C-alpha cells in the first residue's frame, strides 16, 4: 500500500530550540494532517491542510502542504517540555476516507 | 478524547482465545475506524465503516472482524488471537471526510 516517509524518527533537543519534521510520499494526497500522541493516549489533531501550498499555524506550530502535494512539514518554535510526544503525519487521497500514516517522530525535550 | 471511548484499556490473553474490543462514541459521527499501532510503523487501518451495517476492509484485515450494529458503536474481534496481534489498537470517528478523532487506545497482549 501507500507509504509516508516521516523524518526524523526521533529528536532530542534543548528547551527553547525550534523543531522541524517532514513527511514525503511517492503519491499525491489531497489532505495532510498532523497529529500528536502523548503516552497512554490516542493521537490528537494539531493541524489540517487542504490545499497545495497552504501554510497554517496553531500557536507555536506551523505546517505546510507542499506544492507538489507529495510532502508536508511541521515546525515547532521555542519548544517546551510539554511538546514531548510522538508526532504523526497522515494523508488522504481520492480513494475514499482512508488515512495513510507516517511512522512518527518521537520528540524529547530537555529542560 | 472522552467522546470516543474504548474498552477495555488493557487486556492480556492467551493464544487461541476470542477477543472483542469495543468502541463507542458520543460525537454523532457517521464514520468509524479501527487501527493497529506497532512501534515505528505508525497506525495501520484494519477495518472501517461509513454507516450502520457498512463494513470495509482496510490495509491489514486478515485475522480480524468487525460489527457495526448501531451508529455509536463499532466492535473489533479477534476470532483466534495469535501473539503477533499484540499491539496498541485505536478506534477513530469522523463526520464525512473531516479529520478523524481517536480514542485513547486498547493495549492488547497475547501470550
Amino acid at each position: 500500500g501507500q507509504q509516508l516517509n516521516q523524518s526524523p524518527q526521533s529528536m532530542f533537543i534543548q528547551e527553547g530550540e525550534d523543531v522541524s519534521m517532514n513527511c514525503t510520499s511517492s503519491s499525491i494526497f489531497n489532505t495532510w494532517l498532523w497529529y500528536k500522541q502523548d503516552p497512554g493516549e490516542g493521537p490528537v489533531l494539531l493541524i489540517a491542510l487542504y490545499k497545495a501550498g497552504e501554510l497554517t499555524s496553531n500557536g507555536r506550530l506551523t505546517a505546510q502542504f507542499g506544492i507538489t502535494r507529495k510532502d508536508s512539514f511541521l515546525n515547532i518554535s521555542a519548544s517546551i517540555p510539554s511538546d514531548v510526544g510522538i508526532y504523526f503525519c497522515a494523508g488522504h487521497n481520492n480513494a475514499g476516507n482512508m488515512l495513510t500514516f507516517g511512522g512518527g517522530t518521537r520528540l524529547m525535550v530537555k529542560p | 478524547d472522552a467522546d470516543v471511548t474504548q474498552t477495555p484499556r488493557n487486556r492480556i490473553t492467551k493464544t487461541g482465545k476470542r477477543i472483542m474490543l469495543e468502541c463507542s462514541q458520543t460525537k454523532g459521527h457517521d464514520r468509524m475506524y479501527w487501527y493497529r499501532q506497532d512501534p515505528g510503523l505508525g497506525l495501520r487501518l484494519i477495518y472501517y465503516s461509513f454507516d450502520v451495517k457498512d463494513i470495509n476492509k482496510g490495509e491489514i484485515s486478515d485475522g480480524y472482524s468487525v460489527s457495526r450494529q448501531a451508529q455509536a458503536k463499532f466492535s473489533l474481534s479477534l476470532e483466534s488471537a495469535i501473539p503477533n496481534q499484540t499491539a496498541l489498537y485505536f478506534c477513530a470517528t469522523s463526520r464525512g471526510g473531516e479529520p478523524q478523532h481517536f480514542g485513547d487506545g486498547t493495549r492488547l497482549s497475547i501470550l
Side-chain angles (χ1 to χ4, degrees):
Chain A
Q2 294 179 327
Q3 290 195 351
L4 289 182
N5 299 308
Q6 186 171 348
S7 64
Q9 288 188 335
S10 64
M11 303 179 73
F12 188 49
I13 63 170
Q14 193 76 33
E15 182 178 1
E17 289 183 356
D18 297 342
V19 172
S20 184
M21 59 192 78
N22 68 83
C23 270
T24 60
S25 170
S26 58
S27 302
I28 288 173
F29 286 98
N30 294 324
T31 303
W32 283 93
L33 306 173
W34 284 92
Y35 286 87
K36 182 192 178 196
Q37 184 179 22
D38 291 323
E41 298 182 13
V44 174
L45 182 68
L46 298 174
I47 293 179
L49 303 160
Y50 298 103
K51 294 191 303 186
E54 180 181 355
L55 183 71
T56 297
S57 294
N58 177 8
R60 293 178 296 105
L61 279 61
T62 301
Q64 184 159 32
F65 192 144
I67 291 291
T68 65
R69 295 165 65 191
K70 293 183 179 181
D71 64 309
S72 177
F73 72 75
L74 175 70
N75 289 340
I76 305 173
S77 62
S79 59
I80 59 178
S82 62
D83 289 334
V84 165
I86 303 177
Y87 292 79
F88 291 100
C89 63
H92 261 166
N93 59 19
N94 277 332
N97 201 38
M98 293 177 64
L99 269 183
T100 300
F101 280 83
T105 296
R106 182 180 295 274
L107 178 64
M108 294 159 279
V109 179
K110 183 179 180 181
Chain B
D1 190 334
D3 297 324
V4 182
T5 303
Q6 292 184 231
T7 57
R9 291 296 313 277
N10 293 280
R11 178 79 184 269
I12 300 173
T13 191
K14 295 182 179 179
T15 298
K17 293 290 188 182
R18 184 177 187 273
I19 309 298
M20 181 180 286
L21 308 183
E22 304 275 7
C23 177
S24 63
Q25 54 126 342
T26 58
K27 300 178 85 67
H29 289 171
D30 51 334
R31 302 184 181 187
M32 298 186 74
Y33 314 79
W34 275 105
Y35 289 88
R36 167 180 172 156
Q37 184 178 29
D38 297 280
L41 293 180
L43 283 80
R44 293 180 292 165
L45 184 64
I46 306 173
Y47 272 97
Y48 61 103
S49 168
F50 284 178
D51 203 348
V52 176
K53 304 264 177 93
D54 175 66
I55 302 295
N56 304 281
K57 291 184 177 181
E59 180 186 354
I60 53 165
S61 59
D62 287 350
Y64 302 95
S65 63
V66 291
S67 175
R68 182 98 184 268
Q69 298 296 319
Q71 188 190 47
K73 296 183 185 295
F74 193 34
S75 60
L76 175 72
S77 293
L78 287 68
E79 297 301 323
S80 180
I82 54 178
N84 73 4
Q85 289 177 313
T86 292
L88 196 52
Y89 290 85
F90 286 101
C91 174
T93 73
S94 73
R95 177 179 289 114
E98 295 177 358
Q100 296 173 23
H101 298 263
F102 289 82
D104 284 338
T106 294
R107 185 170 297 278
L108 179 62
S109 298
I110 300 164
L111 307 177

